Amino acid sequence: MKKLLIWGAGDQGTVTLDCALAMNTYDSIAFLSFAERGAREIPNYIIYREQDVELHTFLPSFDEVIVATGDNALREQKVSMLNALGIPLVTIIHPTAYISPFAQVSAGCTVLAFAVVHINASVGTGCIVNTGAIVEHDCVLGDFVNVCPKVSMAGHTTVGKKAFLGIGCTIINNLSVGEEAVIGAGAVVIRDVPAHEVVAGVPAKRIQS
Ligand SMILES: CC(C)(COP(=O)(O)OP(=O)(O)OC[C@H]1O[C@@H](n2cnc3c(N)ncnc32)[C@H](O)[C@@H]1OP(=O)(O)O)[C@@H](O)C(=O)NCCC(=O)NCCS
């Protein structure tokens, strides 16, 4: 049994808590709020504040640390800090998620309830695969991608670093979504999406970039 620190005390922090509790692996869980963000109330759990601790001594006092924010850039920044301090990244996977034995989920990822990462798919460092999302066979996700709840990705689609796939979007097979692209909630993506582009609608079209 281990001590877990969830770095992030907002909404993503609370769903990560739920996931960690379901794993039944940790006998103690605490939060560390971001210096850049406020914390929400999380009854029964201690929330330390980043600005009140010495990270280089505080973080190693936990067995495992997971960064929990839907903000891809902030998650990347905190994971870089963990790497700089030599703190190994862990992966949090809800027991109801299905990860194919032939898929790869990299360190620092969170895979939430009922998500699927199917055969030959690969998920980069520090990604979130949120509740009920489907990353189908042979998809490749770069680092720090946020796959929101109920996203459906068909096979062989590639997603660049720090892309944001909004809730309930559908991406057909064999497409490429560029780095830091944003897919709007409920969009149906039927063409490649260039890096940094924001698309929404059915079929998805650029709304800004
Ligand atoms: C796509 C998105 C990022 C755009 O946000 P934004 O830049 O603030 O855009 P705006 O709200 O100013 O909307 C710009 C236009 O796009 C349209 N639009 C925005 N999001 C849309 C969507 N998901 N589907 C269809 N049209 C959308 C708006 O209606 C507006 O159209 P108009 O100019 O004709 O009025 C945002 O709307 C979205 O879908 N975010 C996903 C959030 C999410 O999945 N959260 C889950 C967290 S777990």
Side-chain angles (χ1 to χ4, degrees):
M1 296 292 264
K2 299 177 246 179
K3 277 171 71 176
L4 174 69
L5 180 72
I6 299 175
W7 194 354
D11 294 343
Q12 188 63 33
T14 60
V15 293
T16 303
L17 169 66
D18 181 87
C19 185
L21 290 171
M23 290 165 72
N24 204 21
T25 306
Y26 304 104
D27 60 354
S28 143
I29 301 176
F31 288 86
L32 177 65
S33 65
F34 297 122
E36 297 84 351
R37 297 278 167 85
R40 56 177 272 183
E41 286 271 307
I42 307 176
N44 306 319
Y45 289 90
I46 297 173
I47 305 177
Y48 299 95
R49 288 165 18 117
E50 201 180 306
Q51 48 277 52
D52 296 338
V53 300
E54 294 288 345
L55 288 177
H56 67 283
T57 51
F58 178 77
L59 294 173
S61 69
F62 292 84
D63 298 301
E64 298 191 348
V65 181
I66 185 80
V67 179
T69 170
D71 179 331
N72 293 338
L74 186 60
R75 204 165 60 259
E76 179 184 42
Q77 184 198 321
K78 301 304 177 188
V79 166
S80 301
M81 289 165 76
L82 290 175
N83 286 337
L85 292 167
I87 293 166
L89 301 179
V90 297
T91 299
I92 298 281
I93 299 177
H94 195 281
T96 64
Y98 176 70
I99 313 287
S100 163
F102 305 101
Q104 189 195 333
V105 175
S106 303
C109 287
T110 302
V111 182
L112 292 169
F114 303 109
V116 174
V117 181
H118 224 312
I119 184 166
N120 297 330
S122 151
V123 179
T125 300
C127 291
I128 297 171
V129 182
N130 219 311
T131 314
I134 297 174
V135 178
E136 258 305 338
H137 64 90
D138 302 286
C139 285
V140 177
L141 270 56
D143 297 340
F144 306 106
V145 170
N146 187 348
V147 182
C148 288
K150 288 281 268 178
V151 166
S152 296
M153 294 179 63
H156 292 279
T157 280
T158 299
V159 178
K161 188 176 176 183
K162 285 190 275 179
F164 177 91
L165 312 185
I167 188 164
C169 75
T170 297
I171 306 174
I172 68 166
N173 49 308
N174 296 307
L175 294 188
S176 162
V177 175
E179 283 192 18
E180 297 188 33
V182 174
I183 313 295
V188 175
V189 179
I190 59 167
R191 307 239 187 277
D192 290 346
V193 179
H196 308 285
E197 196 151 291
V198 182
V199 301
V202 181
K205 299 220 162 73
R206 185 168 71 141
I207 58 171
Q208 65 187 58
S209 63

